[in-house]
Amino acid sequence: MKKILVANRGEIALRIMKTAQKMGIRTVAVYSEVDRNAPHVKFADEAVCLGEAPSSESYLVMQKVLDAAKQTAADGIHPGYGFLSENAVFAQLVEDNGIVFIGPHPHAIEIMGDKLAAKEAVSGYDIPMVPGIEKAITDVALAQKIGAEIGFPILIKASAGGGGKGMRVVDAPEALPEQMKRAISEAEAAFGNGAVFIEKYVSAPRHIEVQILADTHGNVVHLFERECSVQRRHQKVVEEAPSVVLTPEIRTAMGEAAIKVAKACNYVGAGTVEFLLDAEKKFYFLEMNTRLQVEHPVTEMITGIDLVEAQIKIARGEKLTFTQNDLKINGHAVEVRVYAEDSLTDFMPSMGTLSTYKRPKGVGVRLDDGFEEGMEVSVYYDPMLSKLITYGKDRQEALHRMIKAIDEYHIEGVATTLPFGKFVCEHEAFISGDFDTHFVKNHYSLQQLEAIYETERSIAAHVGLRLYLENQKIVKPAQLEDSNWQQNRRG
């Protein structure tokens, strides 16, 4: 494989290209009109414009991406995450045209892309599942019957979805008809598929995911877990590895279960198996993401494995060069996602020009981004600016470095979620490890963040005043009559 087209944009496109370059592989960028001068376009060896700014006219148009690969004679296509990364039709189209899709086979994408099909695929592998019904339903009466059997609260979930769309928590039977109607409608709008299923709602769960790698020679390993419980609107915002709550026994069991899930669909490449962990430390299979995850850097930091490099080597047909016994957890890593959203206005998107963009640096600090000072933050795409990752010999050191890095990350021109990330990392519940997926609901409020802002402003004002007074004692202001500079300035 001598040339790879990266079918994505922003930080993930740039991150993939850097590994490809390290491996001596040429890269092709694709871009929309609004991304013409983006860093990933400048970094690549070649670049092809796909069309207008809307992703429906550029990054999501399969034939345009394929034509760009053919035009540049690319051997492989790496989809990154989002856009076409979990589209089985696209993966098949790439393969049918004699180009290597750097990801799993279309069959695995299709099975794991449907939550019901995924549950059915792993049902014979002795993997813990959340109690519920393993088929799509639209009958409210049947839903009421299932709810009574497994007990309320229950969770209605879109079969084809993710990101919290088509998902409803129902606390009581009388609320079920309306919530089910809303879930079906939202699923149809988001995914073109209104199928929903019902399962027991696990209260106060932790969201733990396990990274796996599988080659074409039958070797499958897990690279331990990532803690992804700090979420807002069902979207992860702070991740870390390893989790502070897993015992070695649970870690081993969860890793083995993840490997079974991969084998259940003959998985190849990098993938992530997601689990819910309840208050009794029982875990349940949730779903599998058949792509590189946004939070993959924390796994790379604690294992020393470049996951993109592993993906490319697997796609070339190479065997994994390590076994499960070779893998060890070394240190701790934390990732904060930085969005162009205003923490003080209920996280409303913040568009504008990055008039100041100064990256944090230092030991144990990594920044995956795709922006530069002076760039516009577009309204057309996801508002994530970057991923800030810190590493330490232990969790305390990693968190200390994260807080310092947030303070040194200077962005002006748009509001960002950096203050929220700092709020999380400094919160007693997060520091203690005593939190779950309801962290934001239980601990965060606009008033608390505003109070922190006021405290910081007050401290800054006091420090400024003190420095001024100290300087007044040391440095006397120049007297006009004795100042040649002032006299010369007048003259």
Side-chain angles (χ1 to χ4, degrees):
M1 196 178 295
K2 297 179 180 179
K3 188 186 293 185
I4 290 173
L5 181 143
V6 181
N8 219 295
R9 64 181 296 278
E11 63 85 14
I12 189 58
L14 198 56
R15 186 264 169 276
I16 293 165
M17 290 174 184
K18 287 178 179 178
T19 285
Q21 184 189 70
K22 181 183 71 175
M23 298 174 71
I25 299 172
R26 293 176 62 81
T27 57
V28 179
V30 291
Y31 62 94
S32 69
E33 287 290 353
V34 76
D35 281 338
R36 181 175 294 277
N37 295 312
H40 79 280
V41 178
K42 296 176 182 177
F43 186 88
D45 296 294
E46 300 173 64
V48 178
C49 182
L50 296 178
E52 297 299 317
S55 55
S56 60
E57 298 179 33
S58 51
Y59 297 105
L60 286 174
V61 183
M62 290 183 260
Q63 193 59 51
K64 287 186 176 181
V65 175
L66 189 64
D67 288 345
K70 290 180 176 179
Q71 174 187 329
T72 56
D75 305 302
I77 294 179
H78 195 307
Y81 56 70
F83 293 136
L84 297 170
S85 63
E86 293 181 286
N87 190 310
V89 174
F90 177 65
Q92 188 64 61
L93 187 64
V94 171
E95 290 188 3
D96 289 346
N97 279 270
I99 300 171
V100 177
F101 182 75
I102 303 175
H105 297 309
H107 173 71
I109 297 174
E110 188 172 11
I111 289 177
M112 290 300 163
D114 185 307
K115 292 182 175 64
L116 288 177
K119 285 174 176 284
E120 183 178 351
V122 305
S123 60
Y125 285 78
D126 192 30
I127 296 169
M129 312 278 275
V130 178
I133 186 169
E134 307 304 325
K135 65 178 181 179
I137 62 171
T138 55
D139 186 345
V140 175
L142 178 57
Q144 293 278 25
K145 181 174 180 291
I146 297 164
E149 290 174 357
I150 64 177
F152 285 84
I154 62 173
L155 187 63
I156 303 171
K157 297 175 72 173
S159 175
K165 294 181 175 62
M167 184 183 294
R168 289 288 186 279
V169 177
V170 184
D171 294 312
E174 56 270 20
L176 185 57
E178 178 62 23
Q179 293 300 323
M180 193 161 174
K181 179 182 176 182
R182 290 185 179 183
I184 291 171
S185 175
E186 194 172 280
E188 286 177 342
F191 314 113
N193 181 351
V196 299
F197 62 100
I198 290 174
E199 63 185 25
K200 177 69 178 174
Y201 178 65
V202 180
S203 59
R206 295 182 79 118
H207 189 133
I208 310 289
E209 61 186 29
V210 178
Q211 177 72 56
I212 64 101
L213 283 174
D215 64 22
T216 56
H217 304 276
N219 302 303
V220 187
V221 298
H222 71 82
L223 285 80
F224 313 109
E225 81 283 353
R226 296 186 286 259
E227 171 77 66
C228 305
S229 296
V230 180
Q231 303 179 3
R232 184 174 55 80
R233 298 169 186 161
H234 300 288
Q235 292 283 1
K236 304 161 190 171
V237 288
V238 177
E239 302 101 345
E240 61 181 312
S243 169
V244 296
V245 295
L246 294 197
T247 64
E249 293 76 21
I250 297 174
R251 177 172 291 116
T252 298
M254 201 174 272
E256 289 174 351
I259 289 173
K260 289 179 182 178
V261 171
K263 290 181 176 179
C265 63
N266 297 315
Y267 198 83
V268 170
T272 299
V273 182
E274 304 198 350
F275 298 95
L276 290 181
L277 184 75
D278 68 17
E280 284 73 44
K281 300 292 194 297
K282 293 179 181 177
F283 66 87
Y284 305 95
F285 170 68
L286 186 62
E287 63 182 336
M288 184 177 194
N289 290 308
T290 55
R291 54 171 167 76
L292 198 65
Q293 292 281 85
V294 175
E295 58 273 17
H296 76 273
V298 293
T299 295
E300 294 182 324
M301 300 298 270
I302 67 164
T303 61
I305 303 294
D306 183 328
L307 291 174
V308 173
E309 182 177 357
Q311 284 184 299
I312 294 171
K313 287 182 175 179
I314 289 169
R316 293 196 302 205
E318 298 179 28
K319 286 184 178 181
L320 292 175
T321 57
F322 46 84
T323 66
Q324 193 65 58
N325 290 334
D326 295 324
L327 295 168
K328 299 289 186 294
I329 294 174
N330 181 26
H332 199 97
V334 180
E335 174 179 295
V336 169
R337 302 189 190 190
V338 183
Y339 291 93
E341 296 175 340
D342 191 347
S343 306
L344 296 179
T345 59
D346 197 28
F347 298 96
M348 289 292 290
S350 179
M351 302 296 111
T353 301
L354 297 174
S355 55
T356 298
Y357 190 76
K358 304 298 183 187
R359 298 173 176 88
K361 298 179 180 178
V363 177
V365 177
R366 167 177 168 177
L367 186 71
D368 286 16
D369 66 356
F371 282 88
E372 294 174 344
E373 195 167 277
M375 283 184 65
E376 292 280 338
V377 178
S378 172
V379 299
Y380 294 102
Y381 311 114
D382 184 276
M384 190 171 75
L385 298 176
S386 65
K387 301 173 323 196
L388 179 58
I389 308 105
T390 55
Y391 172 83
K393 62 180 181 297
D394 53 31
R395 190 170 186 260
Q396 182 179 2
E397 185 173 66
L399 285 176
H400 173 75
R401 286 175 173 170
M402 175 58 73
I403 293 165
K404 185 172 182 289
I406 289 174
D407 287 339
E408 293 177 354
Y409 197 176
H410 299 303
I411 301 176
E412 294 178 10
V414 300
T416 76
T417 54
L418 281 170
F420 173 73
K422 186 176 179 181
F423 170 86
V424 174
C425 292
E426 290 184 331
H427 198 281
E428 182 181 349
F430 186 75
I431 292 171
S432 69
D434 184 18
F435 62 92
D436 53 46
T437 54
H438 302 309
F439 175 90
V440 173
K441 176 184 174 183
N442 293 339
H443 302 295
Y444 174 74
S445 71
L446 180 59
Q447 291 73 24
Q448 286 177 303
L449 194 59
E450 285 179 331
I452 292 172
Y453 266 112
E454 286 304 316
T455 300
E456 290 183 347
R457 288 191 191 106
S458 177
I459 292 171
H462 280 86
V463 170
L465 178 60
R466 182 171 181 178
L467 287 173
Y468 172 76
L469 294 174
E470 289 295 325
N471 286 335
Q472 286 290 91
K473 296 176 184 177
I474 300 169
V475 182
K476 296 289 186 183
Q479 299 300 315
L480 276 178
E481 59 269 26
D482 297 325
S483 172
N484 291 330
W485 176 79
Q486 289 285 6
Q487 291 172 356
N488 291 336
R489 185 168 177 262
R490 284 179 179 177

